[in-house]
Amino acid sequence: MEITCAEALVRCLEIEGVELIFGYPGGAILPVYDALNNSKIKHILTRHEQGAAFGASGYARTTGKVGVCMATSGPGATNLVTGLANAYMDSIPLVAITGQVSTAQVGTDAFQEVDITGITMPITKHNYLVKDARMLPGIIKKAFHIARTGRPGPVLIDLPRDVADTKIPFKYPESVELMGYKPTVKGHSAQINQAARQMMEAQRPLIYIGGGVVNAEASEELLWLAETIDAPVVATLMGLGSFPGDHPLFLGMLGLHGNRAANLAVTECDLLVTLGARFDDRVTGRISGFAPQARVIHVDIDPAEISKNVISHLPIVGDTKMVLEALLVRLEKKQNLAWRETIARWKEEFAPKYRERDGYLKPQYIIEEIYRHTDGNCILTTDVGQHQMWAAQHFTFKKPRKFVTSGGLGVMGFGLPGAIGAQFGQPEETVVLVTGDGSFQMTLNELSTAAEQGLPLKIFVLNNRRLGMVRQLQEFYCEKRYIAVDFSFVPNFADLAKVYGFTGLTVTSQEELQDALKTAFQKPGPVLVDCAIDPEENVMPMVLAGKDINDAVDCE
Amino acid sequence: MYHTLAVLVENSPGVLARVAGLFSRRGYNIDSLAVGRTDNPTISRMTIVVEGDERVLEQVSKQLHKLVDVIKIGDITAAPHVDRELVLIKVNANANTRGEVMQIAQVFRAAIVDYGHKNLTLECTGNQEKISAFEEALQPFGIKELVRTGKVAMLRGAKYTNITKTKEED
């Protein structure tokens, strides 16, 4: 029996196990939406296509499954672009489906036509323009395969309207054959042997982990490795949670706003075991001052990351989990007493701290209290800016996939739609969004989506009535010549939230915050707490541009 | 240093844009790029000449590998190989100079592919050095138009670049 290509598309998604699509309809994608009428796949109508891409990403980040978003041609498609770039930078598996004008119109500057495959070429792992309806099932199969395997990433499929309407005999391929795509998952055994030897010999080993550990689901193996070779662990923003944050061997986040103990450990270690991390410039600071005494072992699924920024002495290309499994049988339990003593001393000396200021609510205190009230049992979503760094520094992440944040792209406005996606991914979990007044105003239209879907989000706006991070940059790099960072108007977020059916609260002191936290976490349903924080507060420590990571400015 | 890469790609729409886009956005310099399909119509072969040190080349090669449409990359610079480029040159040639131009063509084993009252169009094949010398020799007569294909290259002897050993470098 023949069905339309649009119906085939929906059928393919069902076979791939897609439960949810975050999307926004329009003219060119009409046939696909029509086909969705007869499907059990749930469609989440966001209020902007960017919210759909971020929502799918939040879903993927908390579940490990492929997130799916959908939009129409032209503006629908371009509105997905930031979300795709975000997923690409953070290696999040996504499949985006866009409508396209009919093939006869392609290239004529037709109404709502853009060359979305051209536009997204550098920000997708791969993309397809479906020119022949019969190719569609194969393309969907390939798209999901590419999105979820190797180094995960977004794949876009552009479907012209006439192709969507074309009838085809439906058959979903069983396997994928891609001549040019065969990720290496098994690490080279000689390299692994050598890595094991170096780990046994090292006196000051350090494990540096990134989002690749989360993607590989390798937390258990990582814990085992750290305890076996008695090595402390430092994490990137994306790696937080893949090693228990309350473990004595954990030193926190490294990098430009990293914990000083973590950064010192990088400087002093003699072996840096890098797992699923990519030596981003926000992590390394001045490259020549990064791990200057260390031999570098780099385990990564993506060969292009090896020696891209920091020369790796011992590269192992492969799936982090499989490499760790192979490593563990080659290791014996050892102790590095002197190193661990040093580490413990640093850890105590450089524990995350902040200065109290009379009459002001400190953002770090809010983060710590959210942790205390939830016992860390929640999914913490953030936007981008100071609040994001405070959350990364002061929250204790104990498990992977519990911290949802935009890392590589650092996109403001990710928070709320990301939290919506996270809540759909983990309906039983408490989803907390920590955001700032700047970021929140970028996508607060999605409050409508959250309300419509009845999501019990707990939103904390760390409100300093300004773009705090940019202001901080202007303070340090522009000699306090502040421009375009202060809001002279900020809406009353509590009142605004009430319009959307949230419980809206405003707090200005620790006492009020405690009451609000009780309301937020004891009462079912959505709550927004607008927290008036110290507007002068900076993110500390801070490694200034061009400095080594052990050379940080700190509060005192 | 210039490197010559033999790159096998799927003959899919957009593959040239993907490869060329990758070079520009990552700041690599393409000296020349020649592309055409192979004996297998689903596969095209590119010969890319790129400038950079070893570290740049390693990145170029790895980033190219990441493109799903790229099947295989071989850096054949160091291995013995044959490389050729073709040039078409339209050069001024009147009754007085025509003889000399034809003589130069003979020296370079170039073919005369079009004959006009005021000009000749010459076709010459060879390595890049020869092509450049040919161009230089014709310069004094006044070159009206010139087009080069970019270099194509192939390994010598029994070694070859094909898809059987996928995604491995020679």
Side-chain angles (χ1 to χ4, degrees):
Chain A
M1 201 191 86
E2 297 209 325
I3 57 175
T4 69
C5 186
E7 287 165 344
L9 167 62
V10 173
R11 192 89 64 88
C12 294
L13 297 180
E14 286 169 349
I15 297 170
E16 283 295 335
V18 174
E19 307 159 320
L20 286 172
I21 297 174
F22 297 84
Y24 205 102
I29 193 83
L30 221 49
V32 179
Y33 273 84
D34 197 21
L36 267 180
N37 273 316
N38 303 316
S39 172
K40 57 179 195 304
I41 297 175
K42 187 178 164 79
H43 179 268
I44 316 299
L45 176 63
T46 55
R47 295 303 184 260
H48 187 288
E49 289 88 350
Q50 191 184 77
F54 288 160
S57 174
Y59 172 85
R61 285 168 201 250
T62 48
T63 59
K65 296 180 195 165
V66 179
V68 180
C69 58
M70 194 147 87
T72 194
S73 63
T78 52
N79 279 343
L80 292 179
V81 167
T82 304
L84 293 174
N86 184 41
Y88 187 66
M89 291 288 265
D90 287 346
S91 307
I92 304 302
L94 227 61
V95 168
I97 296 154
T98 49
Q100 181 56 279
V101 300
S102 289
T103 40
Q105 288 181 310
V106 167
T108 65
D109 303 318
F111 176 65
Q112 293 197 329
E113 182 195 354
V114 296
D115 171 18
I116 197 63
T117 47
I119 289 171
T120 58
M121 225 171 245
I123 51 162
T124 52
K125 196 170 167 189
H126 197 51
N127 60 27
Y128 293 96
L129 170 62
V130 187
K131 285 185 168 163
D132 177 351
R134 286 164 306 172
M135 303 291 280
L136 179 100
I139 287 175
I140 302 288
K141 181 87 183 176
K142 287 176 191 166
F144 276 84
H145 176 71
I146 292 169
R148 71 161 74 95
T149 56
R151 179 176 180 176
V155 179
L156 179 134
I157 300 159
D158 198 24
L159 182 63
R161 170 127 199 217
D162 59 324
V163 176
D165 282 327
T166 306
K167 293 221 166 185
I168 54 165
F170 181 72
K171 187 172 177 291
Y172 200 58
E174 308 246 312
S175 60
V176 182
E177 190 48 50
L178 285 158
M179 277 189 290
Y181 180 74
K182 293 185 172 68
T184 309
V185 289
K186 199 167 162 285
H188 194 281
S189 63
Q191 299 285 89
I192 292 174
N193 281 337
Q194 211 183 328
R197 207 158 45 238
Q198 291 183 7
M199 286 176 190
M200 295 312 293
E201 283 165 7
Q203 289 173 346
R204 302 185 307 281
L206 179 70
I207 303 173
Y208 151 43
I209 59 168
V213 178
V214 181
N215 280 336
E217 312 269 354
S219 292
E220 216 173 291
E221 292 76 9
L222 167 65
L223 180 60
W224 203 5
L225 174 73
E227 289 180 346
T228 305
I229 64 169
D230 197 22
V233 177
V234 297
T236 67
L237 186 68
M238 298 307 297
L240 288 173
S242 45
F243 190 82
D246 51 359
H247 195 286
L249 284 172
F250 188 64
L251 296 181
M253 183 172 74
L254 80 164
L256 263 57
H257 288 302
N259 185 292
R260 289 178 69 186
N263 288 350
L264 255 178
V266 172
T267 309
E268 294 297 324
C269 69
D270 66 353
L271 181 71
L272 187 71
V273 182
T274 311
L275 306 174
R278 60 186 179 90
F279 300 91
D280 178 83
D281 56 89
R282 287 296 186 273
V283 157
T284 58
R286 196 169 70 107
I287 293 267
S288 56
F290 187 78
Q293 305 174 34
R295 290 188 63 77
V296 175
I297 297 176
H298 190 181
V299 181
D300 207 292
I301 190 95
D302 181 359
E305 289 302 341
I306 306 290
S307 297
K308 187 180 80 177
N309 297 336
V310 168
I311 300 288
S312 159
H313 303 102
L314 180 57
I316 303 173
V317 174
D319 174 72
T320 302
K321 190 186 182 85
M322 289 174 72
V323 171
L324 288 182
E325 279 168 354
L327 254 177
L328 292 171
V329 297
R330 292 166 163 87
L331 294 168
E332 283 162 44
K333 200 156 175 67
K334 65 177 278 205
Q335 287 197 309
N336 311 303
L337 288 174
W339 177 231
R340 221 175 51 203
E341 241 171 66
T342 314
I343 292 289
R345 205 177 63 235
W346 288 340
K347 197 172 166 173
E348 201 183 304
E349 188 179 347
F350 299 120
K353 61 176 176 227
Y354 56 91
R355 231 177 350 172
E356 292 290 352
R357 190 166 149 215
D358 262 358
Y360 287 97
L361 188 54
K362 286 287 171 175
Q364 300 91 337
Y365 172 79
I366 301 171
I367 304 289
E368 286 169 359
E369 289 304 298
I370 292 172
Y371 175 75
R372 202 170 62 81
H373 278 258
T374 57
D375 197 24
N377 291 319
C378 65
I379 290 176
L380 187 70
T381 316
T382 76
D383 257 299
V384 171
Q386 287 182 316
H387 70 272
Q388 179 191 32
M389 290 298 111
W390 288 320
Q393 293 171 333
H394 294 269
F395 199 85
T396 308
F397 301 95
K398 292 188 281 198
K399 285 181 188 159
R401 300 202 182 282
K402 301 279 188 186
F403 184 42
V404 177
T405 196
S406 167
L409 193 68
V411 47
M412 291 171 68
F414 171 76
L416 178 57
I420 291 171
Q423 186 74 81
F424 275 109
Q426 302 292 348
E428 305 302 319
E429 296 261 6
T430 302
V431 175
V432 177
L433 166 63
V434 171
T435 180
D437 49 308
S439 289
F440 190 51
Q441 290 188 80
M442 281 204 176
T443 49
L444 56 71
N445 51 331
E446 300 299 343
L447 281 173
S448 191
T449 311
E452 185 173 76
Q453 300 292 341
L455 305 181
L457 300 181
K458 315 295 181 187
I459 302 176
F460 294 81
V461 184
L462 306 194
N463 186 353
N464 51 12
R465 305 180 69 87
R466 55 182 47 155
L467 302 175
M469 187 59 102
V470 186
R471 188 180 189 276
Q472 180 171 343
L473 296 176
Q474 289 177 354
E475 179 180 335
F476 282 89
Y477 297 120
C478 309
E479 295 163 335
K480 301 191 180 182
R481 292 185 299 275
Y482 299 122
I483 178 168
V485 289
D486 290 310
F487 292 127
S488 56
F489 173 81
V490 177
N492 182 323
F493 290 116
D495 281 354
L496 182 77
K498 284 176 195 160
V499 180
Y500 288 99
F502 280 61
T503 301
L505 303 164
T506 304
V507 302
T508 56
S509 67
Q510 294 193 356
E511 295 70 36
E512 286 171 3
L513 177 73
Q514 289 302 336
D515 289 342
L517 283 163
K518 277 185 206 125
T519 308
F521 294 116
Q522 284 168 15
K523 202 178 143 180
V527 178
L528 181 145
V529 185
D530 182 7
C531 312
I533 61 162
D534 182 352
E536 299 292 321
E537 190 63 24
N538 278 336
V539 179
M540 287 293 155
M542 177 186 191
V543 177
L544 295 174
K547 299 276 189 190
D548 295 346
I549 56 165
N550 66 342
D551 184 9
V553 183
D554 208 345
C555 54
E556 222 80 60
Chain B
M1 173 178 177
Y2 287 98
H3 287 253
T4 306
L5 305 179
V7 184
L8 292 169
V9 300
E10 291 212 41
N11 189 7
S12 62
V15 64
L16 182 59
R18 284 179 208 281
V19 171
L22 183 133
F23 275 83
S24 71
R25 74 173 173 273
R26 294 207 178 254
Y28 311 138
N29 291 319
I30 299 185
D31 188 64
S32 77
L33 189 158
V35 60
R37 70 169 181 77
T38 62
D39 53 320
N40 177 345
T42 65
I43 293 165
S44 292
R45 174 158 168 158
M46 296 180 177
T47 305
I48 305 174
V49 180
V50 55
E51 192 186 356
D53 60 18
E54 220 162 281
R55 191 135 179 238
V56 170
L57 253 290
E58 192 184 325
Q59 265 297 307
V60 168
S61 176
K62 284 172 171 176
Q63 293 295 343
L64 278 173
H65 267 298
K66 282 179 76 169
L67 298 179
V68 172
D69 285 336
V70 171
I71 302 163
K72 192 176 180 184
I73 301 157
D75 184 348
I76 64 175
T77 318
H81 65 272
V82 188
D83 61 81
R84 288 291 179 272
E85 186 172 9
L86 185 144
V87 65
L88 291 174
I89 301 181
K90 189 174 286 181
V91 61
N92 286 336
N94 54 32
N96 296 330
T97 57
R98 187 166 292 136
E100 205 180 334
V101 169
M102 286 167 78
Q103 231 167 12
I104 291 170
Q106 214 167 13
V107 169
F108 283 90
R109 293 198 188 84
I112 297 161
V113 292
D114 192 36
Y115 193 104
H117 288 298
K118 293 177 180 167
N119 57 56
L120 288 172
T121 304
L122 309 173
E123 172 202 316
C124 184
T125 313
N127 60 26
Q128 287 181 310
E129 232 169 88
K130 177 185 165 188
I131 302 289
S132 299
F134 183 53
E135 184 188 330
E136 220 168 287
L138 295 174
Q139 207 83 57
F141 301 94
I143 293 173
K144 306 308 284 179
E145 196 179 353
L146 181 149
V147 55
R148 295 172 76 146
T149 56
K151 179 156 109 176
V152 293
M154 194 177 266
L155 288 169
R156 283 186 188 275
K159 285 170 125 192
Y160 51 86
T161 306
N162 76 3
I163 57 163
T164 47
K165 288 191 291 171
T166 45
K167 288 268 177 174
E168 275 172 40
E169 276 178 72
D170 285 20

